[in-house]
């Protein structure tokens, strides 16, 4: 009943906001956010001759051109390396743990408690209130009403681009197939533009999922000329540098190159419509690489660091690079500031427009310089009883500090990885959700050749250290010196020489979590283990483990 009443209140408020929306202002900027699913920090402009990496191999001319015409962020991070909470944090400008049901994947909410998400409107509706035409194409993965409802999803020409490598690689003529999928992108964007009023500013969110698994094995080389051998010696040191992993990563980079070409289509359409130089273009991704250990679902840079570039003539400096860490929760306040729109809601993010301003001589001093990240549940089946793996972290320019609140749990899945997991969860309905077969067991690691490799060679001495880094239990605290250990594999927590740094970062992180009333650190500390965040026994109020 409480949720019903609250929903009716929101409907009334929303209708009132629509009726009182400001008249369109032809001087307002447009906003296009190109946001690739599961895309980590991979673009050729990030290549560094002193640091061999996959960025030496990938070719992203569109992203690179925007970096030359705008501001590039060297160290941009997500709020949480999981799709739903990452996107919700971006839309609201809030730390993920402040978004209620949208603090975890697929946002289930169990019980009768009022969901904090119900009271959130977010940046998209704030722009709509100010007269903006808003919409998106492809994946949203959060409540679509926060972007105007399903009618605002522009996929009138289809959504085959999301299966880019599968659709192109199976075609008789790959060049023709590529062109057809890029034309789909163009037509969807054109349909969105055609629906806007005369001189109406717009916000378009382009959300392709081709960089999310699965992709076609070997497609990186066949479609993009990305020979896996070119990645030799350039992979993160916690991944085996062999033909299986290199090919898998080359295929991933190929999908990133397809995304880059799609962004080029959006730019071409903006130029044809005369809107290019009054449009804020932003390119980024929702978290790190999927299906690789220590990537997606993890708080190491491989899972949280993403590309980020912004361009808007007259407002954003050309060719600027900002090294200080920023968060994607900073995008909402930045968009609203550049659009001259009142947020009307409290946000945790910082307006980055000052740091990007052409007239700013000390841009590094204008940003916070640290980011807060975390995670709870990704998939229920990863651990017995559907329990989450709770983590929080703070990333500065030089250090990453991580708290694992439940070091007795398995971060990816309870081993052996090849065995099925009996996930016996007792929901209030009394129905038991059960087991999955060995070959389809869900973990906090996506299906694919790399996962298959680690499952097959689990227990093999040749990958023992890498298996441990990816799958073993983790200590309560982790500390990494980014300057000396960019892949973050040498834990310095507890070492005397780093005691002061560890204490300072712990204090700063915990102060931010408490200030934001993170449920994980308020009260008894296990709020995310209980309803409404997870299923549980209504009598005991706790998860039923096997």
């Amino acid at each position: 009943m409480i949720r019903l009443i609250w929903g009716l209140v929101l409907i009334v408020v929303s209708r009132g906001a629509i009726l009182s929306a400001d008249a369109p202002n032809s001087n307002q900027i447009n906003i296009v956010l190109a946001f690739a699913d599961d895309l980590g920090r991979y673009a050729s402009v990030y290549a560094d001759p002193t640091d061999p990496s996959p960025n030496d191999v990938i070719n992203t001319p569109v992203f690179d051109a925007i970096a030359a015409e705008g501001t590039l962020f060297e160290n941009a991070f997500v709020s949480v390396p999981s799709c739903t909470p990452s996107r919700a944090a971006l839309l609201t400008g809030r730390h993920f743990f402040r978004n209620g049901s949208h603090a975890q994947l697929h946002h289930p909410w169990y019980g009768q408690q009022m969901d904090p998400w119900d009271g959130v409107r977010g940046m998209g509706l704030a722009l709509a209130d100010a007269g903006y035409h808003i919409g998106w194409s492809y994946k949203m993965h959060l409540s679509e009403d926060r972007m105007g409802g399903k009618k605002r999803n522009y996929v009138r020409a289809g959504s085959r681009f999301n299966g880019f490598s599968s659709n192109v690689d199976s075609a008789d003529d790959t060049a023709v197939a590529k062109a057809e999928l890029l034309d789909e992108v163009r037509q969807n964007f054109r349909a969105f533009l055609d629906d806007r009023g005369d001189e109406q500013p717009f916000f378009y969110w382009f959300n392709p999922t081709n960089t999310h698994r699965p992709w076609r094995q070997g497609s990186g080389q066949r479609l993009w000329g990305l020979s896996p051998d070119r990645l030799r010696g350039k992979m993160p040191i916690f991944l085996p540098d062999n033909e299986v992993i290199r090919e898998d990563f080359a295929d991933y980079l190929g999908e990133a190159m397809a995304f880059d070409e799609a962004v080029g289509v959006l730019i071409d359409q903006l130029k044809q419509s005369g809107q290019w130089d009054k449009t804020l273009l932003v390119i980024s991704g929702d978290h790190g690489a999927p299906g690789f250990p220590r990537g997606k679902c993890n708080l190491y840079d491989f899972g949280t660091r993403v590309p980020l570039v912004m361009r808007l003539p007259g407002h954003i400096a050309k060719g600027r690079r900002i090294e200080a860490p920023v968060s994607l929760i900073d995008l909402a306040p930045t968009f609203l500031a550049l659009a001259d729109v009142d947020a009307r809601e409290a946000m945790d993010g910082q307006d980055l427009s000052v740091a990007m301003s052409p007239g700013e001589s000390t841009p590094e001093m204008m940003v916070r310089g640290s980011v807060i990240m975390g995670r709870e549940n990704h998939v229920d089946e990863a651990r017995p009883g559907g329990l989450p793996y709770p983590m929080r972290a703070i990333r500065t320019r030089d250090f990453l500090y991580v708290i694992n609140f439940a070091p007795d749990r398995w971060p990816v899945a309870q081993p052996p990885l090849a065995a099925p997991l009996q996930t016996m969860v007792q929901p209030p309905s009394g129905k038991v959700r059960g087991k999955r077969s060995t070959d389809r067991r869900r973990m906090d690691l996506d299906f694919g050749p790399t996962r298959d490799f680690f499952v097959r060679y689990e227990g093999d001495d040749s990958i023992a250290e890498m298996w441990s880094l990816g799958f073993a239990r983790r200590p309560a605290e982790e500390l990494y010196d980014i300057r000396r250990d960019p892949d973050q594999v040498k834990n310095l927590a507890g070492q005397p020489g780093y005691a002061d740094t560890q204490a300072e970062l712990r204090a700063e992180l915990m102060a931010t979590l408490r200030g934001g009333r993170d449920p994980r650190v308020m009260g008894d500390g296990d709020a995310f283990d209980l309803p409404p965040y997870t299923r549980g026994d209504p009598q005991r109020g706790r998860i039923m483990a096997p």
Side-chain angles (χ1 to χ4, degrees):
M1 179 60 72
I2 292 175
R3 288 173 60 86
L4 176 60
I5 294 172
W6 184 249
L8 292 174
V9 171
L10 285 178
I11 291 172
V12 173
V13 171
S14 299
R15 287 178 176 171
I18 292 171
L19 291 174
S20 62
D22 300 333
N25 180 352
S26 62
N27 294 319
Q28 283 183 301
I29 65 163
N30 309 308
I31 302 170
V32 171
L33 171 58
F35 200 59
D37 204 16
D38 292 18
L39 178 61
R41 184 182 173 273
Y42 300 107
S44 41
V45 72
Y46 285 122
D48 180 350
T50 67
D51 181 23
S53 78
N55 289 314
D56 302 336
V57 174
I58 194 173
N59 182 29
T60 53
V62 175
F63 188 94
D64 297 1
I66 300 305
E69 298 176 17
T71 293
L72 178 73
F73 291 86
E74 296 277 1
N75 291 293
F77 296 87
V78 297
S79 177
V80 54
S82 177
C83 297
T84 299
S86 176
R87 292 162 184 266
L90 185 157
L91 191 67
T92 63
R94 297 182 175 190
H95 295 304
F96 80 99
F97 51 78
R98 298 219 300 124
N99 285 327
S101 60
H102 284 55
Q104 54 196 0
L105 188 70
H106 300 306
H107 47 83
W109 200 246
Y110 306 103
Q112 300 301 314
Q113 295 92 332
M114 187 176 71
D115 184 353
W117 179 258
D118 292 344
V120 176
R121 302 191 77 242
M123 170 257 295
L125 295 182
L127 290 168
D129 290 348
Y132 273 70
H133 171 48
I134 66 173
W136 79 95
S137 291
Y138 307 135
K139 178 174 180 176
M140 180 54 59
H141 227 249
L142 49 79
S143 298
E144 294 169 323
D145 59 341
R146 301 311 194 277
M147 280 293 292
K150 291 184 178 181
K151 64 181 179 180
R152 296 292 182 180
N153 185 9
Y154 285 85
V155 287
R156 297 175 189 174
S159 55
R160 295 178 68 243
F161 184 88
N162 290 331
F164 188 91
S165 64
S166 295
N167 287 317
V168 174
D169 200 38
S170 60
D172 293 333
D173 188 324
T174 58
V176 170
K178 276 187 181 182
E180 289 176 349
L181 295 188
L182 292 172
D183 188 58
E184 172 191 290
V185 171
R186 181 184 303 278
Q187 290 185 52
N188 286 335
F189 186 37
R190 185 179 293 164
F192 167 81
L193 292 175
D194 287 346
D195 280 354
R196 63 191 280 257
D198 292 341
E199 301 299 323
Q200 185 181 15
F202 56 84
F203 168 46
Y204 180 69
W205 197 350
F206 178 60
N207 295 319
T209 63
N210 65 298
T211 40
H212 186 296
R213 289 180 186 269
W215 45 75
R216 185 66 67 93
Q217 190 168 354
S219 59
Q221 179 155 1
R222 287 192 297 271
L223 302 182
W224 303 100
L226 290 171
S227 170
D229 288 342
R230 294 172 59 196
L231 285 167
R232 192 185 303 273
K234 303 180 188 301
M235 302 291 287
I237 62 175
F238 48 80
L239 293 178
D241 194 351
N242 62 33
E243 62 276 9
V244 173
I245 312 302
R246 289 196 299 268
E247 181 183 56
D248 201 16
F249 212 88
D251 297 342
Y252 173 54
L253 296 180
E255 298 289 359
M257 290 175 62
F259 168 68
D260 192 68
E261 287 206 4
V263 177
V265 169
L266 301 180
I267 292 172
D268 182 63
Q269 192 60 40
L270 286 168
K271 290 178 178 178
Q272 289 187 34
S273 64
Q275 299 298 315
W276 174 229
D277 282 334
K278 61 182 299 186
T279 297
L280 168 65
L281 175 65
V282 182
I283 310 173
S284 191
D286 69 350
H287 51 69
F292 298 94
R294 296 173 74 88
K296 179 179 178 178
C297 298
N298 292 269
L299 300 188
Y300 310 114
D301 285 8
F302 191 51
T304 58
R305 198 180 185 198
V306 292
L308 179 61
V309 68
M310 303 192 211
R311 175 198 185 271
L312 180 61
H315 297 267
I316 292 178
K318 294 183 178 180
R320 178 170 294 171
R321 287 184 178 233
I322 294 179
E323 293 187 3
V326 300
S327 172
L328 294 198
I329 66 170
D330 299 331
L331 294 187
T334 301
F335 291 3
L336 295 178
L338 289 171
D340 195 23
V341 172
D342 185 1
R344 302 183 185 177
E345 292 180 321
M347 295 185 176
D348 301 310
Q350 177 186 13
D351 172 17
L352 301 175
S353 63
V354 176
M356 294 188 292
S357 172
E360 179 52 55
S361 59
T362 57
E364 299 284 342
M365 301 297 292
M366 297 295 106
V367 298
R368 180 190 312 104
S370 66
V371 298
I372 302 296
M373 305 172 291
R375 65 150 290 182
E376 287 289 339
N377 232 352
H378 186 70
V379 298
D380 287 346
E381 297 91 338
R383 281 158 292 279
L387 289 169
Y389 190 78
M391 308 171 72
R392 300 291 186 273
I394 182 170
R395 174 66 153 81
T396 67
R397 187 193 298 262
D398 297 328
F399 292 97
L400 171 69
Y401 170 74
V402 181
I403 295 179
N404 297 299
F405 287 101
D408 58 317
R409 300 177 193 170
W410 297 93
V412 178
Q414 179 175 316
L417 303 179
L421 176 67
Q422 287 272 8
T423 305
M424 303 296 288
V425 180
Q426 180 71 46
S429 67
K431 296 180 180 179
V432 175
R433 297 183 67 218
K435 57 188 177 183
R436 290 181 176 270
S437 62
T438 301
D439 63 336
R440 298 302 297 169
R441 176 184 174 186
R442 296 188 71 198
M443 310 177 191
D444 285 341
L445 182 71
D446 290 4
F447 295 102
T450 297
R451 168 178 155 153
D452 292 344
F453 176 87
F454 275 95
V455 171
R456 179 180 179 184
Y457 289 98
E458 183 177 18
D460 192 302
D461 289 343
S462 66
I463 65 162
E465 184 177 358
M466 293 180 184
W467 189 96
S468 180
L469 286 169
F471 298 91
R473 286 189 174 108
R474 297 169 183 172
E477 294 182 83
E478 300 176 68
L479 177 66
Y480 300 97
D481 187 334
I482 306 298
R483 301 162 298 184
R484 296 177 173 84
D485 179 22
D487 282 329
Q488 298 142 36
V489 297
K490 185 178 180 181
N491 184 14
L492 303 172
Q495 294 196 12
Y498 288 88
D500 290 345
T501 298
Q502 183 177 343
E504 290 170 4
L505 292 176
R506 183 195 302 116
E508 183 177 349
L509 173 59
M510 292 302 294
T512 302
L513 299 181
R514 293 192 180 102
R517 300 194 64 79
D518 180 350
R520 177 58 66 180
V521 302
M522 305 302 291
D524 60 8
D526 62 358
F528 278 105
D529 299 352
L530 307 171
Y533 289 99
T534 58
R535 299 176 180 86
D537 183 329
Q539 278 72 47
R540 297 193 302 156
R542 297 194 61 82
I543 293 295
M544 292 287 287

